[in-house]
Amino acid sequence: MLNLGVLASGRGSNFQSIIDEIEAGRLNASIKLLMVDNPNAYAIERAKKHSIEHLYLNPNDFKSKDDFFKKIADELKARGIELVILAGFMRIVRKPLIDAFPNKIMNIHPALLPSFPGLHGQKQAADYSVRISGCTVHFVDEGMDTGPIIIQAAVPVSPDDTEETLSDRILKLEHMIFPEAIRLYADGRLSVEGRVVRIKGYELKDEYIVNPILR
Ligand code: GRF
């Protein structure tokens, strides 16, 4: 069984989707710790409800960002965490945590990277009026949303979409592909070579995706 540590800052709906997959017996993993950088994060309520240990760390209590991330790494290591999940964790991860968990930290981003990195990926996509957007699960490196891509999923975008309507459409897919990426990892099917992630047993079919708006 894979030991997970989850880092979150807010609502925690992605955290919930992982809890649900584990409880349904579809993901062979156990969440050993939820760490939050925000004492009001709703994710804490979810942890309590499912008897998952939670820990609030205030970044302002640390001399530097590196010290804050070193503390997170120490807390995760102390609990035997094997994979770290960033589920709406609103900070750029620093070296002490990345070095402690090389290619063992996953993040979900609400856009098709490398388009629209950073904050408000859905708003950026709606404002740009792209035809397709989506979400990306990737391993985390020191950049902002730049690490090796594991899974992406796409949704159509309408010119009438707002940040809210597009976010809702993308979120449904987030809740599918994040647990799926963790499952692939838990099953030992992922390997990383530079920025290429290979998925064992995953065959590219001779298919293409047509944006429904164009049909
Ligand atoms: C999601 O849109 C995720 O892609 C982004 O932050 C949001 C977190 O939502 N990284 P939630 O807290 O999981 O509900």
Side-chain angles (χ1 to χ4, degrees), residues 107-127:
N107 180 46
I108 185 137
H109 181 74
L112 292 176
L113 294 172
S115 290
F116 312 128
L119 291 176
H120 308 296
Q122 308 97 325
K123 182 176 187 325
Q124 293 183 56
D127 288 351

Side-chain angles (χ1 to χ4, degrees), residues 65-76:
K65 288 180 180 164
D66 277 5
D67 283 0
F68 174 61
F69 280 99
K70 172 80 173 65
K71 171 72 173 167
I72 296 175
D74 290 347
E75 295 287 351
L76 294 168

Side-chain angles (χ1 to χ4, degrees), residues 10-15 87-88 90 107-110 122 171 174-175:
R11 175 177 65 176
S13 73
N14 278 287
F15 173 44
M90 305 307 283
N107 180 46
I108 185 137
H109 181 74
Q122 308 97 325
L171 194 64
E174 292 186 35
H175 295 162

Side-chain angles (χ1 to χ4, degrees), residues 153-195:
V155 300
V157 183
S158 148
D160 299 323
D161 266 319
T162 62
E163 179 178 12
E164 288 70 36
T165 59
L166 184 56
S167 297
D168 287 350
R169 198 173 306 129
I170 292 173
L171 194 64
K172 291 197 183 80
L173 283 183
E174 292 186 35
H175 295 162
M176 295 164 76
I177 69 169
F178 212 178
E180 175 65 11
I182 299 167
R183 187 162 30 241
L184 291 169
Y185 188 96
D187 292 347
R189 291 176 61 192
L190 298 183
S191 59
V192 188
E193 299 159 22
R195 66 163 302 111

Side-chain angles (χ1 to χ4, degrees), residues 2 12 55 84 193 198 203:
L2 183 71
L55 172 69
V84 182
E193 299 159 22
R198 296 196 183 281
E203 262 177 54

